[in-house]
Amino acid sequence: MSPLASVITILLFFMYLWGLGFTATYFVKKPDHFLERLFLNLGIGLGLFPILAILLNFARIPLDWKIFLGISLAFPLFILAKSLKEKKVKLPSFALKKSDLAMLLVVLIALLSFYVYAKGAFGYPYLEDEDPWGHAVGAKYVALEKNAYDPIITNAEEVDLVLSYIDPYPPAYDILMGILHQTSSNVNWTIKFFNALIISLGFIFFYLFSKKLIGHQNKALFATFVLAIVPSYLSHFIWAPAMAMVVFF
């Protein structure tokens, strides 16, 4: 797989999530700091992606990356065009304050976690155990067929042992990986990389969640650090809970 395809797929991943999050939070009060707004949009976008995917699949609309990109960026592009027309374009402020140190430390925790998870996942060329292989097949099926419904089974007694994580199992994880696989030719790389990335972003989402719940950024930072070092939390193992836990936050 070419490095360019990898970079494009990573950029598309953030565009899907940010666009959906921006659309959903446009009319509500958001944090003042740029980084918090950015990750808030990404987190909410990740939560909205499964809902959008299931609705599109239910409506028999092809699960194609171009459709997801169009839906994600439609409203942000409308707002941008409106702002340009009215000459009200404002660049985000990147000024850092002492109070922003906690957010930067959380981002550092996420980066270190991603390094650990990705290094572990790519430490060997194969997929381990049953779940990753099942999700790889599901992602490939979504990428090629552009739907998340099982093929029609002619034998009533036949049990689908291959697409075990598609219909009726909530297929949002496989759909996300399948959409990403449409622009990234290597399914192995796709699910390993983005599984680790989603888990690592989850620490940032957890910090924002904790900060809102506790009402104290230093305590939220400590809680995030504790979560990141808990051995029983998520690893680089590829399965749907890696996305489910992050969406919960």
Side-chain angles (χ1 to χ4, degrees), residues 66-188:
K66 294 183 288 296
I67 293 177
F68 280 89
L69 182 63
I71 294 175
S72 300
L73 296 186
F75 186 74
L77 289 176
F78 168 76
I79 295 300
L80 176 61
K82 182 180 178 182
S83 299
L84 289 173
K85 183 178 180 180
E86 298 174 356
K87 298 181 179 179
K88 295 182 179 180
V89 178
K90 295 181 179 180
L91 295 177
S93 175
F94 298 99
L96 295 177
K97 304 177 183 177
K98 186 177 180 180
S99 59
D100 300 328
L101 179 61
M103 186 67 202
L104 294 177
L105 289 175
V106 171
V107 173
L108 178 61
I109 290 173
L111 290 173
L112 291 174
S113 300
F114 175 72
Y115 171 78
V116 172
Y117 293 142
K119 186 174 180 59
F122 289 103
Y124 41 82
Y126 49 83
L127 299 172
E128 73 275 55
D129 296 330
E130 182 179 355
D131 289 73
W133 289 99
H135 288 301
V137 174
K140 176 69 73 172
Y141 178 79
V142 171
L144 296 177
E145 300 297 328
K146 299 185 179 180
N147 81 85
Y149 287 114
D150 278 352
I152 297 176
I153 298 175
T154 56
N155 184 358
E157 297 181 355
E158 183 178 353
V159 178
D160 184 5
L161 298 176
V162 179
L163 294 172
S164 52
Y165 298 121
I166 301 291
D167 180 33
Y169 187 96
Y173 183 78
D174 286 4
I175 292 177
L176 175 58
M177 294 299 174
I179 294 299
L180 295 169
H181 182 37
Q182 288 177 359
T183 53
S184 169
S185 60
N186 189 324
V187 68
N188 192 315

